[in-house]
Amino acid sequence: MKFHSPQKLRTIAGLIGARFIGPEDFQVLGTNEIHRVQPGDIVFVNHPKYYDKALNSAATIILIDKEVDCPEGKALLVSDDPFRDFNRINTHFTRICNFTEELHDVEIGEGTHIHPSAVIGNHVKIGKNTLIFPNVVIGDRTVIGDNVVIQSNTVLGGDAFYYRKLNGNFDRLISVGNVVIESNVEIGNGCTIDRGVTDSTIIGEGSVLDNQIQIGHDTVIGKKCLIASQVGVAGCCIIGDEVTLWGQVGIASGNTIESGTVLLGKTGVNRDLEKGTYIGMFAEDFKTYLKKEVKLRNLK
């Protein structure tokens, strides 16, 4: 999430009641999750296991629960609860409505048809010649390109599935990102595409999604991908161009799938994959799998 205008370190520290380490006028441009951070962003970390990853990331402001050595060219915000204060920052700069207010400011392109039963949130942009079927729900800040088809009961821009355990309960990290559907995309019935926590969940130009597909927060799907029914992609994944995911494929969070890859039905992914064809619970190379099956069947 980028702020509407650059902020100063002392301003952000005052907003959340944190101590800061670094020049008081150090420039802060926005917030982001560790997988998507850029220079000028705040990233939060609240466990020593992840200190090094956060401190050495592209983020230049680290919201942290303990004072540590600050890397050169960066700044720290020291908080007793970085998770809570990350939410405070995000909701201060992004208005959260969740269909409780109708502010609208919706842009709709020429030739677009939206069924009257569809529900559209605030600050939504929809391009030209797009077709939106009955009972579609489009959350705040969603951006949809030209010549897009979105079939019935699909939800774009639901909250990210991102929680921590706090005092025996689950505490949500509030989603202030959005969903971007590029031009010439087709999305089937009953799909759910979560908005980014702080960035965009993106479906690339020309991609086609079947029915009942779940795409997690901040995931980027490339161009001209083909995704079959009941696929589940967790948050913060990067899927290249012209990737094919057949039915019931499951991809764990934070993994990257190289362009041109094919995942056969029910393949499970728990690591980054180079271009190839894969099958099985742990994404085994398909040719290797076939050779193994032949050997097993020839055993006497």
Side-chain angles (χ1 to χ4, degrees), residues 48 62 71 101 118-119 126 146 156 163 188 208 251 253 274 283 289 295:
I62 295 84
E101 299 178 72
V119 178
I126 303 174
D146 301 333
L156 306 180
Y163 294 84
V208 177
I251 303 177
S253 63
E274 298 179 351
Y289 166 82
K295 289 180 180 178

Side-chain angles (χ1 to χ4, degrees), residues 4-293:
H4 294 300
S5 60
Q7 303 293 311
K8 294 182 178 179
L9 184 65
R10 69 167 180 268
T11 303
I12 302 299
L15 174 65
I16 59 176
R19 292 187 297 112
F20 65 87
I21 297 172
E24 65 175 26
D25 59 352
F26 194 93
Q27 193 174 66
V28 187
L29 303 181
T31 67
N32 224 326
E33 196 190 13
I34 188 68
H35 296 85
R36 303 287 291 275
V37 287
Q38 300 173 359
D41 286 342
I42 299 171
V43 69
F44 84 91
V45 60
N46 56 2
H47 194 289
K49 180 179 177 180
Y50 302 109
Y51 283 176
D52 286 344
K53 184 175 182 179
L55 292 164
N56 295 316
S57 71
T60 41
I61 304 94
I62 295 84
L63 176 59
I64 192 169
D65 60 351
K66 180 182 177 181
E67 184 173 336
V68 296
D69 292 336
C70 183
E72 186 176 355
K74 299 192 178 189
L76 301 181
L77 290 163
V78 183
S79 160
D80 64 333
D81 190 341
F83 189 104
R84 176 201 65 205
D85 288 338
F86 197 70
N87 272 338
R88 285 180 175 175
I89 295 168
N90 287 335
T91 54
H92 178 83
F93 290 99
T94 302
R95 189 168 181 175
I96 305 298
C97 296
N98 289 329
F99 301 104
T100 59
E101 299 178 72
E102 292 189 8
L103 308 175
H104 277 157
D105 186 24
V106 175
E107 297 179 22
I108 300 174
E110 183 179 356
T112 286
H113 179 77
I114 302 172
H115 191 273
S117 65
V119 178
I120 301 176
N122 302 304
H123 310 296
V124 170
K125 296 181 180 180
I126 303 174
K128 300 176 183 178
N129 302 313
T130 285
L131 182 59
I132 297 176
F133 282 54
N135 300 319
V136 168
V137 177
I138 299 174
D140 292 354
R141 301 179 297 281
T142 298
V143 178
I144 299 172
D146 301 333
N147 308 307
V148 172
V149 176
I150 303 171
Q151 297 195 39
S152 296
N153 300 310
T154 282
V155 178
L156 306 180
D159 285 332
F161 187 71
Y162 196 135
Y163 294 84
R164 66 168 173 175
K165 200 75 173 289
L166 180 67
N167 299 324
N169 297 308
F170 291 107
D171 184 27
R172 179 191 291 278
L173 190 64
I174 298 170
S175 306
V176 296
N178 72 339
V179 170
V180 175
I181 307 296
E182 296 184 350
S183 296
N184 304 307
V185 167
E186 295 189 17
I187 300 175
N189 299 284
C191 295
T192 50
I193 301 176
D194 293 345
R195 66 176 178 259
V197 171
T198 48
D199 211 314
S200 297
T201 304
I202 300 172
I203 309 298
E205 182 177 0
S207 289
V208 177
L209 280 64
D210 194 3
N211 304 322
Q212 297 180 326
I213 290 166
Q214 158 67 14
I215 307 295
H217 67 88
D218 297 286
T219 280
V220 177
I221 307 288
K223 301 179 187 301
K224 297 182 180 179
C225 291
L226 186 67
I227 305 180
S229 180
Q230 298 183 359
V231 164
V233 182
C236 301
C237 292
I238 305 294
I239 295 176
D241 298 336
E242 299 185 36
V243 169
T244 300
L245 307 178
W246 290 117
Q248 297 186 341
V249 163
I251 303 177
S253 63
N255 288 302
T256 297
I257 310 297
E258 192 172 322
S259 295
T261 294
V262 176
L263 301 182
L264 300 175
K266 296 189 176 183
T267 296
V269 179
N270 63 353
R271 68 187 191 282
D272 294 347
L273 294 180
E274 298 179 351
K275 182 179 178 180
T277 300
Y278 297 87
I279 192 171
M281 185 179 294
F282 299 107
E284 185 176 5
D285 174 74
F286 186 53
K287 289 183 179 179
T288 302
Y289 166 82
L290 289 177
K291 290 176 182 177
K292 182 179 71 176
E293 286 297 303

